Amino acid sequence: MASLRALRAAAAVARPQRLTPAAFAPCSFRAMASSSGNQMTVREALNQAMDEEMRRDKTVFLLGEEVAQYNGAYKVSKGLLDKFGPERVIDTPITEMGFAGLAVGAAMAGLKPICEFMTFNFAMQAIDHIVNSAAKTRYMSGGTVNVPIVFRGPNGAAAGVAAQHSQDYAAWYGQIPGLKVVSPWSAEDCKGLMKAAIRDPDPVVVLENEIMYGQMFEVSDEVMKDDFILPIGKAKVEKEGTDITVVAHSRAVGQALEVAKELEKDGIKVEVINLRSIRPLDIDTIIKSVKKTNRLVTVEGGFPQYSVGSEICAQIMESDAFDHLDAPVSRVTGADIPTPYAKNLEDLAFPRLERSVLKKKPFTKNTAASHQPKSRFSGGDRKYFDSGDYAMSKAGKSSSNEVGSEHPSPERIPHSVPSNLKKDAGPLIESSLIHEANLKVDTPPPAPAAPGAAGPK
Amino acid sequence: MLATLFRTASAPAAARPLPRSSVAAAASLKAQPTFFSTAPVARAAKHTAAPAAADEKHTFTFPDSHFAYHKCGPISLDVDATKNEMLDMYRNMVLIRRLETASDQLYKAKMIRGFCHLSTGQEAVAAGMHAAIAKDDAIITAYRCHGFTLLRGASAMSILAELMGRKDGCSRGKGGSMHMFAHEFYGGNGIVGAQVPIGAGIALAQKYLEKGTMTFAMYGDGAANQGQVFEAYNMAKLWNLPAVFVCENNNYGMGTSALRASASTKYYTRGDYIPGIRVNGMDVLAVREASKFAREWTLSGKGPMVMEMVTYRYGGHSMSDPGTTYRTREEIQHMRSTNDPITGLKERILERNIATEDELKKMDKDARTEIDAAVTQAKASPEPDLKELFTDIHTKGNEPDFLRGCTPDETHHYAQR
């Protein structure tokens, strides 16, 4: 009971500090080294990319729901109807499976369709055509039938739209041979990758993010040019660092950069890798970085099981970078739950990287340890970076628990309740624990938690 | 509707109980009592002693029951065909049947793996359509695709090699029975119904690129109940695409009879706002005439059309289906003996003395020789090179740096660019 009370107290002060769209709005990221004074939103970048490619190639056309007269549900296709006419900017009925199949057919027969899904949640209706009709046909036909098509639309969680409209499909499409999948973050990414996707002779899935559409970025003169193109399959090191590697894609890149800035104040140099491409995955860039920093955290908005982070973990395990790790790789992901509607619950369903990182500081670089396999599992001086895995429960504590012998539970995680609740405004709580605490609303008001109140029984 | 027809026509004692009201069945029977008759109505038949000249026209008259219309038509029941045209159609049907027979044997010899769907009995559909359309018109169909692949230009050898998973297969051994492609033939698709909106998309490209060609998007009576078929109808009509949706109704979606699967088995009317025509798909001439009609209809800018080719497969759904658990042997036997498309055309040719029996027999023999040679050649083709495992996933030169094999050390690295 004591521990429950303590948990509830923890929950009361653990107001989520996830960056909201509003929190994002005032800041703008400098995407290129050179400062040119050009500014562009993600929406404009996508629009410009399509505009330029449609000018360049008459076989490129856009179809989807509300793309023409309505100017796009999210205004990404704004103005294209006026520029290119109804033959090339086609409003479809609400018929995802039908128009995705139709777009694939058009691609097989000589056109280069850009097939917009109002969101990728609706593309589940059409996923057979993305996977079976588009991705596999080239192989099945022994190279005789090409499918040059782009499937694009907002992916991942928006805000306050509940479970059916909040899901990240990077892992879904990232698994399919024959597809290329990009998940751009900045305006530069969006312009360069969208243009690359349209020019690609094979099917490409472009996973945009609704929350990012209005985000303003500084871009270089080069990005403004109509021949600016980025290679699909190459990640970008957004910020160099020596102490820890954070790999993220889409919106999480911005979060990672924010956190990196915070940690910089404490002298921790985070290297932030913007994945850009989900498939092919630029594992070489990650390996190179891990060999330098010896620590790796992945961040994404998708569900944890079989996530992009999971794949990165596996590939690191299979690479020689494994021997360079000073700590297990950690994944920061969306929670393993259908996305809730209520604001407070939704906030707990997605990465709150800044809190996680701040709690676990400082983590020091310890290269000596990397060559002592025993220390990998021995707890003791090990410090961990992530927000939720079991190994973290060993951080800074010696415990009788053997790794993997039991599921973590609040009672068994020594530091699941911060010891100094009163003065620390941003304590870190595992979301599952907060969840549990929130459900106990009918319990009596909590007594102030004493340090170690939630310690092992 | 169909099932009831031949059941009553053949040995009724063996027929299984009708799944639906037999009253309704009987009514539909009365409505089209001679639907499956391919016997031509003699009309000013000329019985000349000498075989006809190659380009001489012969006129035939179809029975009324050969066609039914929905918001269009009618097609003229009188049809002209030259000796050459008829012999071409005959030869094509015989070739398809030989090809399928060879496939059947190779499958039973365990040289063909996996799924294999034969079109024996349905040859008139492929041959009749082929005779009606232009070289650059497109066809897309489902997995019962060998005949179409052959007529659209792939060699019998390449089809057989594909079936056996060989290097010289038309998909280089990577597609198999269900995934064959040829000039303006877009497969060969394994997901029931998915090819229909793809076909509408091909038609969209034809219109967009102002090619002056059209697309036949084919599906079975089983796939006719897929939602995306109706999605394709809607967009095709909305945008007036040059698409003809062809329901190849062989009366069984796998082992489920049309009556047990479709609230309306009038597939030619199921486009609602799209005109439709039902055709006796066992009569190659009728298929040709109706296909011409539909092609011209859609190319004239009138928008899409739905065709229903009523046909029958003699074999099971696939090689693993004996095809006798959901229909009677008598039913199959009856269809073979009274409605066979090859026999029907042969009778027509002989009746009018358009060619002699010896000429036709020679064609049969030639087809057999040709397919046998193709089998030998295909068998001689090696399996694909192991390097082919990693080719054709992306366009050459557009691949990722590497793709993983089953273990990390089997990872394939594409040449550095």
Side-chain angles (χ1 to χ4, degrees), chain A residues 7 10 359 409-411 413-418 428-430 433 454:
Chain A
L7 280 170
K359 178 181 182 193
S409 66
E411 291 76 17
I413 300 178
H415 57 269
S416 64
V417 177
L428 275 155
I429 310 295
E430 276 65 36
L433 305 180

Side-chain angles (χ1 to χ4, degrees), chain A residues 57-61 63 87-88 90-99 101-111 125 128-129 132-133 135 137-146 177-180 200-203 234 279-281 283-284 315 318, chain B residues 140 162 170-172 174-176 179-181 184-186 188-189 191 193-195 197-206 208-209 211 226-228 231-232 234-236 238-239 241 388-396 398-404 408:
Chain A
D57 184 348
K58 280 184 81 169
T59 64
V60 177
F61 74 104
L63 83 168
E87 271 76 40
R88 296 185 66 193
I90 303 172
D91 275 330
T92 66
I94 302 170
T95 180
E96 277 83 7
M97 197 175 199
F99 75 70
L102 179 133
V104 170
M108 289 176 177
L111 299 183
Q125 297 250 16
D128 174 59
H129 282 298
N132 273 321
S133 305
T137 293
R138 191 181 165 78
Y139 196 79
M140 294 193 307
S141 68
T144 58
V145 181
N146 268 26
L179 282 184
K180 292 182 178 180
D200 200 286
D202 298 313
K234 297 292 170 212
R279 180 183 183 90
L281 179 68
I283 195 69
D284 290 348
Q315 292 205 24
E318 288 176 351
Chain B
I140 183 167
E162 188 59 38
C170 50
S171 297
R172 297 166 74 184
K174 290 174 171 181
H179 306 296
M180 297 180 175
F181 303 80
E184 290 300 321
F185 177 61
Y186 293 86
N189 290 272
I191 305 298
Q195 75 280 6
I198 295 176
I202 296 165
L204 180 114
Q206 289 166 327
Y208 186 108
L209 298 169
K211 283 186 166 177
Q226 281 279 16
Q228 59 183 320
E231 297 186 31
N234 182 47
M235 286 183 290
L238 201 59
W239 301 331
L241 302 179
E388 291 284 326
L389 185 63
F390 287 101
T391 60
D392 301 324
I393 298 163
H394 298 275
T395 303
K396 202 168 166 51
N398 188 45
E399 301 99 343
D401 294 342
F402 61 87
L403 287 175
R404 193 184 192 273

Side-chain angles (χ1 to χ4, degrees), chain A residues 47-93:
Chain A
N47 183 282
Q48 199 176 86
M50 289 194 285
D51 188 344
E52 288 169 6
E53 292 307 300
M54 287 178 77
R55 269 176 219 285
R56 182 175 170 270
D57 184 348
K58 280 184 81 169
T59 64
V60 177
F61 74 104
L62 174 68
L63 83 168
E65 293 155 8
E66 310 291 0
V67 297
Q69 292 194 15
Y70 195 84
N71 275 317
Y74 297 100
K75 308 298 171 206
V76 173
S77 58
K78 192 174 179 183
L80 296 182
L81 173 64
D82 291 342
K83 288 176 189 164
F84 300 102
E87 271 76 40
R88 296 185 66 193
V89 184
I90 303 172
D91 275 330
T92 66

Side-chain angles (χ1 to χ4, degrees), chain B residues 40-331:
Chain B
V41 175
R43 180 179 172 279
K46 35 177 147 182
H47 293 280
T48 48
D55 54 357
E56 187 187 336
K57 279 185 180 168
H58 304 270
T59 304
F60 301 90
T61 304
F62 297 124
D64 280 348
S65 58
H66 259 37
F67 304 109
Y69 307 98
H70 170 66
K71 297 183 178 174
C72 71
I75 297 177
S76 166
L77 293 176
D78 293 335
V79 53
D80 290 335
T82 67
K83 175 180 179 179
N84 268 358
E85 289 167 354
M86 294 182 78
L87 291 188
D88 264 357
M89 285 186 278
Y90 182 81
R91 182 171 180 278
N92 284 339
M93 287 197 291
V94 169
L95 272 176
I96 294 174
R97 185 159 297 182
R98 284 306 313 169
L99 178 71
E100 299 289 53
T101 306
S103 305
D104 182 83
Q105 288 161 355
L106 289 169
Y107 196 94
K108 286 168 180 160
K110 297 193 190 312
M111 297 189 78
I112 296 173
R113 315 171 63 227
F115 297 134
C116 184
H117 309 83
L118 305 182
S119 66
T120 312
Q122 302 182 202
E123 297 90 346
V125 177
M129 284 175 63
H130 180 70
I133 68 177
K135 181 170 164 283
D136 292 335
D137 287 335
I139 296 183
I140 183 167
T141 187
Y143 39 75
R144 208 175 300 284
C145 64
H146 308 163
F148 291 99
T149 315
L150 181 73
L151 299 190
R152 295 309 281 172
S155 71
M157 189 282 292
S158 74
I159 294 169
L160 290 160
E162 188 59 38
L163 286 167
M164 290 188 281
R166 305 301 172 91
K167 176 173 173 271
D168 294 310
C170 50
S171 297
R172 297 166 74 184
K174 290 174 171 181
S177 167
M178 298 184 288
H179 306 296
M180 297 180 175
F181 303 80
H183 172 71
E184 290 300 321
F185 177 61
Y186 293 86
N189 290 272
I191 305 298
V192 174
Q195 75 280 6
V196 181
I198 295 176
I202 296 165
L204 180 114
Q206 289 166 327
K207 191 178 179 187
Y208 186 108
L209 298 169
E210 297 174 350
K211 283 186 166 177
T213 52
M214 50 76 67
T215 300
F216 287 98
M218 308 194 60
Y219 52 97
D221 49 292
N225 297 320
Q226 281 279 16
Q228 59 183 320
V229 171
F230 297 89
E231 297 186 31
Y233 286 168
N234 182 47
M235 286 183 290
K237 183 65 181 176
L238 201 59
W239 301 331
N240 251 17
L241 302 179
V244 174
F245 299 101
V246 184
C247 176
E248 205 174 354
N249 175 9
N250 65 19
N251 202 37
Y252 295 95
M254 218 170 148
T256 304
S257 76
L259 277 170
R260 291 203 298 130
S262 296
S264 162
T265 54
K266 290 183 171 178
Y267 295 103
Y268 66 107
T269 67
R270 288 177 66 171
D272 183 9
Y273 39 81
I274 301 179
I277 175 170
R278 189 187 62 206
V279 188
N280 182 338
M282 298 301 264
D283 181 344
V284 68
L285 265 182
V287 171
R288 187 187 75 165
E289 289 311 300
S291 301
K292 275 185 186 170
F293 175 78
R295 178 178 187 272
E296 280 157 23
W297 177 281
T298 194
L299 281 179
S300 71
K302 290 182 193 163
M305 177 169 267
V306 175
M307 288 176 85
E308 176 188 349
M309 309 272 201
V310 186
T311 182
Y312 196 82
R313 75 169 138 76
Y314 296 162
H317 165 71
S318 68
M319 291 304 297
S320 61
D321 168 26
T324 49
T325 58
Y326 48 87
R327 55 184 188 176
T328 61
R329 288 180 197 280
E330 286 73 18
E331 177 186 305

